[in-house]
Amino acid sequence: MFICNITENINGDIIISDALNQTVIFVNKLGKFSVYYDDCDLFFPTGICTEALGHILVWDTKTDTMHLFAQDWEFLGTFDFGRSRSLMFSLCVDAENNLYMGHDTNKITVYKCLQ
């Protein structure tokens, strides 16, 4: 399995983005596999992170969209960022709710997340 990123949510659960198999894997805090998410052939999850409210953000490099999940892994929807000229591989949300997106061009894009 090719793992692009791994993160922990506020529940202590582990979330893994597996770009090679086009899936996101959710494992509960006891280490038991719980949920498997894919979006058919249109999904290439790379960056993954969580924010202060426990939402899980997964970047889909194939479509330049952000997939948003609740802390209990319920799928909430996607956000379209439009086509970029670079590949985005890293995500991070800081204490002030800023979303950092790391690109393969050594650039970082910063967005303010609204609650």
Side-chain angles (χ1 to χ4, degrees):
M1 175 166 48
F2 176 74
I3 299 173
C4 283
N5 280 296
I6 186 169
T7 191
E8 179 182 7
N9 72 5
I10 62 175
N11 297 337
D13 304 323
I14 302 297
I15 305 100
I16 304 161
S17 67
D18 180 356
L20 183 63
N21 291 307
Q22 300 180 349
T23 64
V24 175
I25 301 162
F26 298 87
V27 179
N28 70 21
K29 62 184 170 188
L30 301 174
K32 293 185 179 183
F33 170 80
S34 296
V35 178
Y36 163 86
Y37 172 80
D38 66 17
D39 192 21
C40 303
D41 294 331
L42 302 174
F43 191 56
F44 195 77
T46 52
I48 190 167
C49 71
T50 59
E51 47 90 69
L53 297 175
H55 293 111
I56 302 157
L57 294 82
V58 180
W59 182 257
D60 178 8
T61 299
K62 195 167 191 177
T63 61
D64 285 339
T65 57
M66 182 79 67
H67 293 240
L68 181 65
F69 299 86
Q71 66 185 15
D72 64 355
W73 313 326
E74 174 189 358
F75 178 70
L76 299 175
T78 60
F79 297 93
D80 188 354
F81 283 74
R83 287 284 176 208
S84 65
R85 296 175 190 243
S86 63
L87 296 175
M88 203 293 303
F89 289 104
S90 301
L91 291 179
C92 179
V93 176
D94 68 12
E96 278 110 37
N97 236 15
N98 296 306
L99 171 64
Y100 296 84
M101 301 171 76
H103 302 267
D104 67 339
T105 57
N106 295 326
K107 291 184 179 180
I108 296 174
T109 306
V110 182
Y111 296 94
K112 180 68 178 171
C113 299
L114 303 175
Q115 296 184 10

